[in-house]
Amino acid sequence: MEQLKHECGVAMIRLLKPLDYYEKKYGSWAYGFNKLYLMMEKQHNRGQEGAGIASVCLDREPGTEYMFREKAEGKNAITEIFSRVTQEMAGELYMGHLRYSTTGKSGLTFVHPFLRRNNWRAKNLCLCGNFNMTNIDEVFQFLTAQGQSPRIYGDSYITLELMGHRLDREVERLYEEAKNKGLEGTDITHYIDDNVCIANVLKKTMKHYDGGYVMCGLTGSGEMFSVRDPWGIRPAFYYRDDEIVALASERPVLQTTFDLDSKDIQELQPGQALIVHKNGESRLEQIMPAQKLSACSFERIYFSRGSDCDIYQERKRLGEQLTQPILKAINGDVDNTVFSYIPNTAEVAFYGMTDGFRKLHGEVRTEKVVWKDIKMRTFIADNSERNDLAAHVYDISYGSLRPHVDNLVIIDDSIVRGTTLRESIFKILDRLHPKKIVMVSSSPQIRYPDYYGIDMPRLEEFCAFRATMALIEERGMWQLVNDVYMACKRDPHTENHVRALYEPFTVEEINHKIVEMLRPKDMQTPVELVFQRIEGLHHACPNHPGDWYFTGHYPTPGGTRLVNQAFVNYIDNKQKKQQ
């Protein structure tokens, strides 16, 4: 319902045959570009603020371009950049990226891929990724201590410069090695191009980082790589045969693009890199030791395409597991209840929820009560008029339930800020005059910010946090707030102290306060919230245990430090406003 942005989507292709092979077999010089275009369009859900592509052509003569890049902003960025593609840009290596900003930085400058140029082929580096680093300050200090002066302060540019620096050292190592072998002139260049060890570069670069990432890159000499963070926070899938090596952020993208079965596709493992050498040989290499698996559960709940065979079943289970608490909320009155969902991402969970009730009760009444009507613009300056527009983002099916007789159970995949509920959903549902509204979330209460690539950066944005702080104020528990504040300042690194704020309250107490805060004053219908339990989440998505936005258990030290700092910032800002 409330659209969350997340860091990005990646796509990579390495053609393993000569270019004329693909033209003869598939009838087009643009085979690689066509496949890259399809992979990017199939991941458009992962980024609509900008897009970029890069290609590398092997064995071009000196004086001719061999490394190309195109970038564009906006929702039509994919179409725009591929309209610029020419036959000259056709090569053996392709990389694409779709961007959502989680840092507030926008503009073409921040659109991936990032390119570092050099007259030595092997020193050219093109980089993109699905990532957010939590310790960029430390990495920046490491770079500047070496004498470097990055032009832009941001994790993408700093990563490019750090990895580029390590790539330079790798090339210089090979230069000395070639000289010691008695090679001269262009023979040295060929030796370097043929022997670059990207694993060395990655091991010396990625050890500095704390965060969630899938980092992808191309070099001018023809190396291709993708490396996943040691906790497995961000996803990546790959496929290899005798014609191509391809990688994407989501499995169905590869299935559709290359007409594959799910079992043909492998998942890149935590700390692992897929490396394709200039000669086309590919291998997997462990770059960093794998840590405790913390694969992002929000990928399963919301972000990734529901067409993935496992995700589809997981989302259905998330819905079905809520049958009993919903039954309690409607006092067992299934006959006088209409079941529906918020379009469009909650649809699969809705199928699971209604399947669960059919197992208990037989047939149930389902309707499409809510419609996503239009995407409203927020160009009107007056706040009251802007709120009135927001109230019309969704519309309802009039006559879809019996006024004052039917309960309405309506499921969404998540309730984050609560703004859409307050300004739109509750207001329009009240027009149907249901006996009771049971608002269901297939995910648990979101209580903590994410720092690994999802646009959830501040505590005060979450309705669960605001409700908890309201309960603390009502009950005069400001000593708890002060204790947490001092603990966050005293020891920000070892423990998430913010978790203590929630401990005095049950989920149900927080639910009641959320309803009280979000329910419009003139609304007549009673409302109850039902959230997924943490245990239910892990049962439905057993292979993706990352749950820090629900539980506060961050997998990396950087996440813990940032959440503690977020609470300090919240209190400091609150005190400033009161002065």
Side-chain angles (χ1 to χ4, degrees):
M1 183 199 329
E2 298 168 320
Q3 185 180 26
L4 291 173
K5 299 175 182 179
H6 51 121
E7 183 64 23
C8 303
V10 296
M12 303 188 82
I13 301 174
R14 174 60 156 93
L15 303 182
L16 301 178
K17 304 285 188 182
L19 293 181
D20 60 359
Y21 169 90
Y22 302 93
E23 187 165 7
K24 291 176 182 176
K25 182 172 181 178
Y26 298 106
S28 173
W29 63 267
Y31 173 80
F33 278 119
N34 290 340
K35 292 299 186 184
L36 186 68
Y37 172 80
L38 185 55
M39 290 173 71
M40 292 176 70
E41 283 288 6
K42 291 295 180 182
Q43 295 183 99
H44 213 159
N45 57 300
R46 301 190 71 88
Q48 298 181 27
E49 292 183 5
I53 62 172
S55 66
V56 174
C57 311
L58 300 177
D59 303 322
R60 288 276 175 93
E61 291 296 320
T64 57
E65 185 59 85
Y66 53 87
M67 200 166 192
F68 299 88
R69 179 187 61 171
E70 292 287 341
K71 302 195 294 183
E73 290 185 90
K75 289 188 175 182
N76 297 319
I78 299 175
T79 302
E80 182 180 337
I81 56 178
F82 279 95
S83 70
R84 303 179 202 155
V85 165
T86 64
Q87 189 164 357
E88 178 197 21
M89 297 167 63
E92 291 83 3
L93 291 80
Y94 298 89
M95 183 166 71
H97 185 266
L98 297 124
R99 182 175 192 265
Y100 261 140
S101 168
T102 62
T103 61
K105 296 178 179 178
S106 59
L108 200 60
T109 301
F110 297 98
V111 175
H112 302 208
F114 298 97
L115 181 57
R116 191 175 191 261
R117 291 287 198 179
N118 196 284
N119 271 352
W120 290 78
R121 284 180 186 265
K123 287 187 177 183
N124 284 271
L125 177 64
C126 197
L127 207 62
C128 77
N130 173 13
F131 61 88
N132 205 42
M133 306 304 188
T134 66
N135 66 330
I136 199 64
D137 292 346
E138 291 87 341
V139 179
F140 182 81
Q141 290 166 8
F142 173 77
L143 271 178
T144 54
Q146 294 180 322
Q148 296 193 50
S149 298
R151 295 181 297 111
I152 296 174
Y153 189 90
D155 51 7
S156 302
Y157 269 92
I158 290 172
T159 301
L160 179 72
E161 292 305 323
L162 179 58
M163 191 174 294
H165 173 70
R166 298 314 318 177
L167 183 60
D168 289 347
R169 300 290 81 78
E170 172 67 10
V171 170
E172 289 158 11
R173 178 187 71 80
L174 291 170
Y175 179 87
E176 293 300 322
E177 197 172 278
K179 293 280 285 185
N180 292 336
K181 290 179 179 289
L183 300 178
E184 298 180 348
T186 57
D187 288 340
I188 294 178
T189 303
H190 295 316
Y191 181 84
I192 292 171
D193 291 351
D194 291 341
N195 290 281
V196 170
C197 182
I198 282 295
N200 286 345
V201 176
L202 295 176
K203 287 176 181 178
K204 292 175 181 177
T205 301
M206 303 317 297
K207 68 180 182 180
H208 294 284
Y209 282 107
D210 179 301
Y213 56 84
V214 170
M215 193 73 65
C216 301
L218 309 175
T219 72
S221 59
E223 302 295 309
M224 183 177 100
F225 64 87
S226 180
V227 59
R228 189 180 185 191
D229 68 80
W231 302 271
I233 295 171
R234 301 263 67 88
F237 297 85
Y238 65 91
Y239 169 73
R240 298 186 284 185
D241 63 19
D242 62 345
E243 289 187 354
I244 60 157
V245 179
L247 178 137
S249 294
E250 299 184 27
R251 181 168 58 180
V253 172
L254 296 172
Q255 288 183 248
T256 300
T257 301
F258 299 102
D259 192 20
L260 303 171
D261 192 270
S262 60
K263 67 178 183 296
D264 299 325
I265 299 164
Q266 305 300 314
E267 185 171 6
L268 199 61
Q269 295 302 302
Q272 193 177 66
L274 172 65
I275 298 171
V276 188
H277 190 49
K278 176 191 174 184
N279 63 10
E281 293 180 359
S282 63
R283 72 180 191 280
L284 297 169
E285 185 152 345
Q286 198 68 32
I287 300 302
M288 294 156 291
Q291 303 298 315
K292 182 180 178 182
L293 180 65
S294 298
C296 175
S297 58
F298 237 109
E299 287 280 355
R300 319 301 282 185
I301 298 166
Y302 176 77
F303 291 137
S304 293
R305 294 167 66 90
S307 56
D308 182 280
C309 56
D310 291 335
I311 291 176
Y312 184 81
Q313 295 302 325
E314 289 169 12
R315 289 182 184 173
K316 286 190 71 175
R317 281 199 295 272
L318 286 169
E320 184 172 354
Q321 288 171 172
L322 292 163
T323 304
Q324 289 299 330
I326 295 170
L327 192 65
K328 180 180 177 182
I330 62 174
N331 296 316
D333 189 8
V334 180
D335 290 331
N336 294 310
T337 298
V338 171
F339 296 86
S340 192
Y341 63 94
I342 302 293
N344 291 314
T345 53
E347 186 174 2
V348 178
F350 165 77
Y351 294 144
M353 176 182 70
T354 52
D355 283 352
F357 272 95
R358 289 189 181 99
K359 291 175 184 177
L360 285 175
H361 187 268
E363 275 308 304
V364 294
R365 295 166 59 201
T366 62
E367 301 285 354
K368 186 168 183 179
V369 173
V370 177
W371 297 78
K372 187 87 178 272
D373 196 10
I374 52 176
K375 186 167 182 64
M376 304 304 301
R377 304 289 182 181
T378 56
F379 55 84
I380 296 178
D382 184 83
N383 284 337
S384 62
E385 293 186 53
R386 185 184 296 119
N387 289 341
D388 184 60
L389 281 177
H392 293 84
V393 171
Y394 291 91
D395 209 340
I396 51 172
S397 299
Y398 291 95
S400 55
L401 57 110
R402 295 171 295 175
H404 310 293
V405 175
D406 289 331
N407 300 309
L408 175 59
V409 172
I410 192 155
I411 190 169
D412 195 10
D413 48 49
S414 59
I415 298 173
V416 188
R417 301 173 181 93
T419 308
T420 308
L421 282 179
R422 183 182 64 245
E423 301 297 339
S424 180
I425 298 296
F426 283 162
K427 289 181 178 180
I428 62 169
L429 292 181
D430 196 40
R431 297 176 189 172
L432 296 173
H433 306 296
K435 181 180 177 182
K436 182 180 184 180
I437 295 172
V438 179
M439 189 73 216
V440 182
S441 171
S442 65
S443 68
Q445 289 177 351
I446 298 172
R447 298 181 170 188
Y448 306 93
D450 180 80
Y451 300 107
Y452 306 118
I454 302 173
D455 181 28
M456 298 192 295
R458 296 186 303 156
L459 282 163
E460 57 266 37
E461 292 190 354
F462 308 122
C463 59
F465 176 80
R466 297 197 306 273
T468 301
M469 294 305 293
L471 288 170
I472 287 172
E473 184 172 5
E474 284 178 4
R475 301 182 188 183
M477 301 169 64
W478 284 108
Q479 186 59 47
L480 172 62
V481 174
N482 186 63
D483 291 345
V484 170
Y485 176 81
M486 297 307 298
C488 288
K489 295 193 74 170
R490 183 175 58 252
D491 175 27
H493 300 286
T494 59
E495 181 183 348
N496 176 5
H497 304 290
V498 182
R499 296 183 71 244
L501 296 171
Y502 293 96
E503 289 175 2
F505 310 108
T506 65
V507 170
E508 289 71 26
E509 285 178 300
I510 297 172
N511 284 352
H512 290 316
K513 180 54 66 173
I514 291 173
V515 170
E516 184 180 313
M517 295 172 68
L518 299 183
R519 194 170 183 271
K521 291 181 180 179
D522 57 349
M523 185 175 181
Q524 302 298 312
T525 310
V527 177
E528 184 171 342
L529 291 180
V530 172
F531 280 91
Q532 186 76 241
R533 296 281 180 172
I534 296 295
E535 297 79 12
L537 170 71
H538 292 316
H539 181 264
C541 310
N543 299 318
H544 291 75
D547 62 3
W548 51 92
Y549 15 72
F550 308 125
T551 65
H553 295 302
Y554 289 87
T556 77
T560 300
R561 175 178 56 82
L562 289 175
V563 72
N564 287 323
Q565 186 60 50
F567 186 69
V568 171
N569 294 344
Y570 167 75
I571 295 298
D572 288 347
N573 291 335
K574 192 177 181 70
Q575 291 174 344
K576 285 179 183 178
K577 291 177 181 179
Q578 292 172 346
Q579 291 175 354

